[in-house]
């Protein structure tokens, strides 16, 4: 528990540092002649949906080396119910970023992931309960745009932040078990991202792994389009 | 036009992939939990019948003419030898000890005892136990079993049984048994420390158990029910709300398959077991 708290503090410090760094970096931007033209740095908001996000109930994290066979009592209760399909909302994300250089955007992403499944009675096939987990991630992100055109941009990105998961498991004998909370890092690496559009744009990210999903798609809106930069 | 573009973007985004992470699993039968309990109960009865059978076979050997002793030992105790130390008989290589009475086990009033000094981790696993076998009539006995040293002390077995000799031996079993009575137990499996169920059973219509061949470390047979009825109640010492009822009716039994009906909390299904 103490180790978890220490880890959480470290991650929190990293997130705060990254956020401050984003502000500082933005402060380093050359605004010469910028305000005279009433140009603000380009900013955008994105709404996206990610497939297969990594959350803290990922099976790999629950691996157990205990290979003792289950007791007959456990077998009896587990046969009284069965688990239905495990549904996921996927990673529902909202992001905001600002362009601090032609090739660099800095921002943060807020992500929600909900997983749930119904528990059915073996005898009656009726739903007797539901187990679910809800995760929330805050991920400061650096986006490196390596192809810039008026309509198309291509980029890679990296994000590091914190997340929490509230899990309510089903326990034998009916009724939900005690909900518990887990903290951990939120990491997202994107190999290839593409956005198509000007003010309103569509985007997709592949070759990704992390808490935002392995494949992400969404729409975005550039709040302050820096048309001057499109022409460079 | 712009609205269509926006709508298309949103639809493309949120309908591109499925959201099922893992398929659920629906069991084929609704009385699987009852089958689990019946299998365990059947194994408890089988363990006691196996112990009684050892005593009856030892009696056969002790009362046999000297010329037939080797033949009886070879047939009924394959893989073991029977040895006596201070009146206590032991099957070599096993934790089974038999305490004969001065009289034959077929003499009314005689009382034999069998002790499993350690659990037999065989199929089915049999707990450490003390068994008393009292002859009550011609080929009729009363069995009472307890386990004073068990990790979980809930174990009782009291049954009346009548036996008849196995005529065509496919294994080392001596008798076929018809039983009546009942008992209760906390399951004894490999994770018995974590068990909390208390299972009570009562044979409501006499059940006949036949020996079934199995290749195992200590035995080469165990007993399975070919006919009869048994009522079972499942309680949990950690949850007083658990009070499940199971009725087992054996419809037909043979050496190749057993048909039976399980009624579990009002749901009835037929089951079929083939030989191992």
């Amino acid at each position: 528990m103490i180790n978890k708290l220490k880890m959480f503090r470290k991650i929190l410090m990293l997130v705060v540092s990254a956020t401050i760094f984003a502000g500082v970096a933005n402060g380093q931007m050359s605004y010469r002649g910028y305000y005279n033209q009433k140009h603000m740095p380009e900013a955008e908001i994105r709404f996206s949906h990610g497939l297969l996000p990594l959350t803290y109930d990922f099976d790999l994290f629950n691996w157990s080396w205990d290979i003792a066979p289950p007791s007959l009592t456990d077998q009896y209760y587990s046969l009284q119910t069965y688990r239905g399909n495990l549904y996921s909302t996927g990673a529902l994300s909202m992001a905001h970023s600002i362009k601090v250089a032609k090739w660099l955007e800095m921002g943060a992403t807020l992500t929600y992931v909900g997983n749930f499944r119904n528990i059915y009675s073996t005898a009656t096939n009726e739903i007797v309960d539901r187990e679910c987990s809800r995760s929330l991630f805050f991920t400061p992100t650096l986006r490196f745009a390596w192809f810039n055109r008026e309509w198309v941009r291509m980029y890679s990105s990296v994000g590091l932040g914190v997340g929490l998961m509230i899990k309510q498991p089903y326990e034998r004998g009916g009724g939900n078990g005690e909900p518990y909370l887990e903290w951990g890092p939120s990491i997202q690496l994107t190999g290839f991202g593409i956005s198509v559009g000007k003010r309103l744009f569509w985007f997709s990210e592949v070759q990704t792994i992390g808490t935002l999903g392995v494949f992400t798609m969404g729409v975005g809106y550039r709040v302050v389009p820096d048309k001057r930069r499109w022409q460079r | 036009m712009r609205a269509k573009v926006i709508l298309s973007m949103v639809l493309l985004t949120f309908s591109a992939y499925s959201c099922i992470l893992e398929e659920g699993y629906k069991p084929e039968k609704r009385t699987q939990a009852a089958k689990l309990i019946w299998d365990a109960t059947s194994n408890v009865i089988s363990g006691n019948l196996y112990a009684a059978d050892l005593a009856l076979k030892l009696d056969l050997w002790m009362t046999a003419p000297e010329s037939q002793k080797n033949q009886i030992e070879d047939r009924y105790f394959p893989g073991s030898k029977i040895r006596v130390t201070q009146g206590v008989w032991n099957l070599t290589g096993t934790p089974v000890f038999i305490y004969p009475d001065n009289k034959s086990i077929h003499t009314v009033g005689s009382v034999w005892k069998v002790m499993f000094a350690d659990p037999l981790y065989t199929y089915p696993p049999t707990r450490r136990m003390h068994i008393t076998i009292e002859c009550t009539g011609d080929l009729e006995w009363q069995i009472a079993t307890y386990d004073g040293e068990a990790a979980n002390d809930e174990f009782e077995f009291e049954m009346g049984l009548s036996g008849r000799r196995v005529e065509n031996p496919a294994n080392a079993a001596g008798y076929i048994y018809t039983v009546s009575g009942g008992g209760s137990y906390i399951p004894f499996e490999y994770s018995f420390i974590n068990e909390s169920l208390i299972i009570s059973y009562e044979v409501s219509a006499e059940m006949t158990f036949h020996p079934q061949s199995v290749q195992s470390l200590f035995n080469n047979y165990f007993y399975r029910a070919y006919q009869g009825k048994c009522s079972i109640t499942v309680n949990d010492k950690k949850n007083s709300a658990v009070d499940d009822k199971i009725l087992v009716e054996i419809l037909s039994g043979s050496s190749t398959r057993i048909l039976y009906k399980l009624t579990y909390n009002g749901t009835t299904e037929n089951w079929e077991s083939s030989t191992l």
Side-chain angles (χ1 to χ4, degrees), chain B:
Chain B
M1 181 63 185
R2 174 164 286 194
K4 278 186 181 176
V5 170
I6 295 171
L7 190 63
S8 302
M9 284 177 166
V10 171
L11 286 177
L12 189 62
T13 299
F14 292 100
S15 64
Y17 28 76
S18 164
C19 288
I20 297 177
L21 291 185
E22 188 181 299
E23 294 281 340
Y25 169 72
K26 184 181 176 184
E28 288 180 12
K29 289 199 177 254
R30 296 188 290 164
T31 55
Q32 289 198 113
K35 179 184 184 299
L36 181 81
I37 298 300
W38 164 238
D39 286 346
T41 305
S42 174
N43 288 344
V44 166
I45 298 172
S46 170
N48 281 272
L49 296 181
Y50 178 71
D53 201 52
L54 289 175
L56 280 156
K57 291 191 300 185
L58 179 64
D59 182 81
L60 276 177
W61 182 86
M62 290 172 75
T63 55
E66 201 63 38
S67 60
Q68 294 178 18
K69 281 186 185 292
N70 285 347
Q71 187 186 346
I72 289 174
E73 185 176 355
D74 289 346
R75 174 182 165 184
Y76 290 126
F77 302 103
S80 293
K81 295 186 182 302
I82 42 179
R83 293 287 181 268
V84 62
T85 306
Q86 296 179 333
V88 181
W89 291 82
N90 172 239
L91 303 182
T92 57
T94 74
V96 177
F97 297 90
I98 303 171
Y99 300 75
D101 201 342
N102 293 327
K103 296 168 279 190
S104 163
I105 202 167
H106 294 280
T107 303
V108 174
S110 68
V111 177
W112 286 45
K113 291 182 179 176
V114 178
M115 182 177 75
F116 286 7
D118 282 310
L120 293 183
Y121 288 105
T122 175
Y123 186 85
T126 305
R127 71 181 67 220
R128 181 170 47 199
M129 56 188 183
H130 302 258
I131 304 131
T132 302
I133 305 155
E134 181 180 359
C135 180
T136 55
D138 182 28
L139 290 173
E140 289 182 355
W141 299 269
Q142 185 72 27
I143 293 185
T145 307
Y146 72 97
D147 178 4
E149 301 158 283
N152 41 33
D153 55 5
E154 184 74 30
F155 183 74
E156 288 177 9
F157 182 90
E158 284 194 19
M159 280 199 169
L161 52 106
S162 60
R164 63 185 162 91
R165 290 283 294 276
V166 172
E167 290 170 2
N168 297 310
N171 46 54
Y175 289 79
I176 292 163
Y177 298 98
T178 299
V179 305
S180 60
S184 65
Y185 66 97
I186 287 177
F188 178 83
E189 299 283 344
Y190 295 99
S191 301
F192 64 90
I193 299 293
N194 302 319
E195 303 288 5
S196 61
L197 294 183
I198 300 174
I199 299 164
S200 309
Y201 55 96
E202 188 70 34
V203 173
S204 45
E206 285 188 338
M207 304 193 85
T208 303
F209 281 79
H210 288 243
Q212 176 90 51
S213 296
V214 62
Q215 288 308 317
S216 185
L217 184 61
F218 294 117
N219 61 338
N220 71 354
Y221 66 98
F222 70 107
Y223 283 91
R224 299 182 80 182
Y226 278 18
Q227 68 180 58
K229 287 184 188 178
C230 184
S231 304
I232 304 173
T233 302
V234 181
N235 298 114
D236 190 329
K237 62 183 179 183
K238 292 180 181 172
N239 183 356
S240 58
V242 176
D243 186 33
D244 298 328
K245 307 291 183 191
I246 300 167
L247 177 64
V248 185
E249 296 174 71
I250 311 293
L251 303 174
S252 69
S254 72
S255 58
T256 52
R257 69 173 191 164
I258 298 166
L259 292 174
Y260 57 105
K261 189 164 72 176
L262 290 179
T263 303
Y264 178 50
N265 289 339
T267 302
T268 301
E269 283 178 328
N270 286 346
W271 286 81
E272 179 179 340
S273 292
S274 56
T275 54
L276 293 174

Side-chain angles (χ1 to χ4, degrees), chain A residues 126-146:
Chain A
E126 288 174 355
I127 297 171
V128 294
D129 220 312
R130 172 179 284 192
E131 65 179 4
C132 58
S133 66
R134 297 180 180 88
S135 304
L136 209 59
F137 300 103
F138 175 70
T139 318
T141 307
L142 290 173
R143 195 176 297 128
F144 308 97
W146 38 266

